[in-house]
């Protein structure tokens, strides 16, 4: 028989007080669509928050599985997790969240690093979503991102965006980019990359058409972002990113979230559920806190200078 999380916590406390053997540990099963620094940081932040709230050692079973960038594997992992009956399933990034929500009718699902939970049809509402699903969105401030690019490229007319049309979060972000860019007098030129092996081709197709390249929060593109960086260097087109982790991998600059901190924010939601709250009663949270990362060396290699005001307000300068 499977104990509720609250009952488990009571048994653990009783065991400690009475010198008994440990009760069944709380089981948190995590999965992500692919392994890369941002999503790995989310996972690590979740676990740290669980540990800080007393879920650690013999009192916590924490598992992690990567879908290796493949939605079909994400679906297999989700089905396996449901069969394992954890207390909470944590799904990092949109494809893994969609897979988990599709197969889990009773086990609470907490998603993280999902750009558009409504567009991905994970929840019907951000406020009190109902059912067994809630989580955290990392929707970016698109105008802020485009303004950053324009500070490097004052005569900015067109921005190229490689993206995977199969990722709902990326499609949603592209749609927002087009709306905001139009208001700023900037043209968005999209280039499709359904697989990581397509990323370099997609980037090359933008050469001669754009003044800068922007990599959105797209797991396919981020997994092969070095290919975009190479094209940027070769063609002297600066590459900017929607996530700060990509700056260390070659992007010129990015305004984005600290994904370890996003993991901690997600972990707080998981703790609330383990302490007895229903997932569907918890509002979907919007990520908090942004950082500005700059890579002057890559800016020079791509033919642009870092504005003094950007350097002055940077939270991290990649040497």
């Amino acid at each position: 028989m499977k104990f509720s999380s609250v009952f488990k916590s009571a048994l653990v406390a009783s065991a400690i007080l009475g010198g008994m053997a440990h009760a069944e540990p709380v089981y948190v099963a995590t999965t992500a669509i692919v392994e890369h620094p941002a999503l790995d940081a989310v996972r690590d932040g979740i676990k740290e928050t669980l540990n800080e709230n007393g879920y650690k050692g013999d009192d916590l079973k924490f598992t992690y599985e990567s879908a290796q960038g493949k939605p079909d594997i994400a679906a297999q992992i989700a089905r396996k997790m449901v069969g394992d009956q954890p207390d909470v399933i944590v799904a990092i990034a949109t494809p893994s969240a969609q897979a988990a929500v599709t197969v889990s009718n009773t086990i609470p699902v907490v998603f993280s690093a999902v750009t558009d939970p409504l567009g991905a049809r994970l929840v019907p509402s951000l406020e009190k979503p109902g059912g067994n699903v809630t989580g955290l969105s990392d929707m970016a401030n698109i105008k802020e991102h485009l303004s950053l690019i324009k500070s490097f490229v004052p005569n900015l007319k067109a921005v190229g965006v490689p993206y995977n049309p199969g990722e709902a979060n990326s499609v949603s972000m592209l749609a927002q980019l087009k709306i905001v860019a139009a208001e700023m007098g900037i043209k968005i030129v999209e280039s499709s990359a359904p697989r990581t092996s397509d990323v370099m081709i997609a980037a090359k197709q933008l050469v001669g058409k754009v003044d800068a390249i922007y990599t959105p929060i797209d797991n396919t593109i981020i997994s092969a972002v070095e290919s975009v960086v190479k094209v940027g260097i070769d063609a002297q087109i600066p590459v900017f990113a929607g996530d700060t982790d990509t700056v260390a991998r070659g992007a010129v600059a990015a305004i984005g979230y600290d994904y370890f901190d996003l993991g901690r924010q997600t972990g707080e939601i998981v703790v609330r559920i383990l302490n007895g709250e229903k997932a569907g009663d918890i509002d979907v949270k919007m990520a908090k806190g942004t950082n500005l990362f700059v890579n002057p060396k890559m800016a020079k290699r791509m033919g642009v200078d870092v504005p003094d005001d950007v350097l002055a307000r940077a939270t991290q300068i990649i040497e």
Side-chain angles (χ1 to χ4, degrees):
M1 176 180 177
K2 184 173 176 57
F3 299 112
S4 71
S5 300
V6 175
F7 189 35
K8 282 183 185 176
S9 298
L11 284 178
V12 169
S14 175
I16 293 172
L17 292 172
M20 297 164 53
H22 276 281
E24 182 185 355
V26 162
Y27 180 9
V28 177
T30 61
T31 180
I33 186 61
V34 70
E35 291 179 275
H36 62 64
L39 301 190
D40 294 349
V42 173
R43 174 200 63 209
D44 295 342
I46 293 166
K47 189 171 184 181
E48 179 171 287
T49 299
L50 288 170
N51 292 165
E52 289 177 354
N53 282 272
Y55 298 100
K56 57 185 175 181
D58 292 337
D59 299 332
L60 173 68
K61 178 181 179 182
F62 186 91
T63 61
Y64 170 78
E65 293 190 62
S66 166
Q68 301 166 35
K70 299 177 181 179
D72 57 333
I73 295 179
Q76 292 173 17
I77 290 172
R79 288 193 293 270
K80 178 180 179 295
M81 284 183 169
V82 169
D84 291 342
Q85 290 288 291
D87 293 287
V88 180
I89 293 173
V90 182
I92 305 169
T94 302
S96 287
Q98 289 173 317
V101 169
T102 298
V103 299
S104 180
N105 296 319
T106 57
I107 299 170
V109 175
V110 177
F111 58 78
S112 187
V114 169
T115 301
D116 185 1
L118 295 177
R121 299 184 177 181
L122 297 177
V123 291
S125 168
L126 299 182
E127 296 181 356
K128 301 294 186 292
N132 63 318
V133 183
T134 189
L136 183 137
S137 168
D138 62 349
M139 176 65 80
N141 185 326
I142 299 299
K143 186 172 184 178
E144 203 173 28
H145 288 204
L146 290 174
S147 295
L148 175 66
I149 298 173
K150 196 170 177 62
S151 69
F152 281 82
V153 188
N155 297 319
L156 184 69
K157 301 296 182 186
V159 175
V161 182
Y163 79 111
N164 178 359
E167 285 198 30
N169 56 303
S170 193
V171 172
S172 175
M173 198 167 184
L174 179 62
Q176 288 295 316
L177 272 167
K178 289 180 177 179
I179 293 170
V180 177
E183 295 171 353
M184 298 174 67
I186 300 168
K187 180 182 179 181
I188 297 296
V189 181
E190 61 193 74
S191 188
S192 174
R195 302 178 300 272
T196 54
S197 58
D198 300 322
V199 173
M200 179 169 280
I201 296 171
K204 285 182 175 179
Q205 289 176 342
L206 296 170
V207 175
K209 303 175 184 177
V210 301
D211 306 304
I213 295 174
Y214 174 83
T215 61
I217 301 172
D218 179 309
N219 298 293
T220 301
I221 306 303
I222 292 174
S223 295
V225 77
E226 286 80 7
S227 298
V228 183
V229 170
K230 184 179 187 309
V231 171
I233 294 170
D234 292 346
Q236 291 293 278
I237 301 173
V239 175
F240 299 84
D243 72 294
T244 54
D245 287 303
T246 298
V247 178
R249 297 170 64 192
V252 170
I255 293 175
Y257 300 109
D258 178 331
Y259 276 80
F260 181 80
D261 190 52
L262 259 64
R264 290 182 55 82
Q265 294 173 43
T266 306
E268 291 171 2
I269 299 172
V270 177
V271 168
R272 290 175 63 180
I273 293 170
L274 292 175
N275 287 343
E277 291 188 57
K278 293 181 179 179
D281 291 340
I282 300 174
D283 294 355
V284 172
K285 307 300 179 184
M286 305 306 291
K288 301 175 184 176
T290 56
N291 295 312
L292 169 59
F293 282 29
V294 180
N295 190 328
K297 178 180 177 182
M298 295 309 298
K300 185 176 181 179
R301 292 186 68 185
M302 295 183 196
V304 293
D305 296 319
V306 181
D308 291 339
D309 68 308
V310 173
L311 272 178
R313 61 191 175 93
T315 51
Q316 185 163 336
I317 298 172
I318 306 298
E319 301 293 345

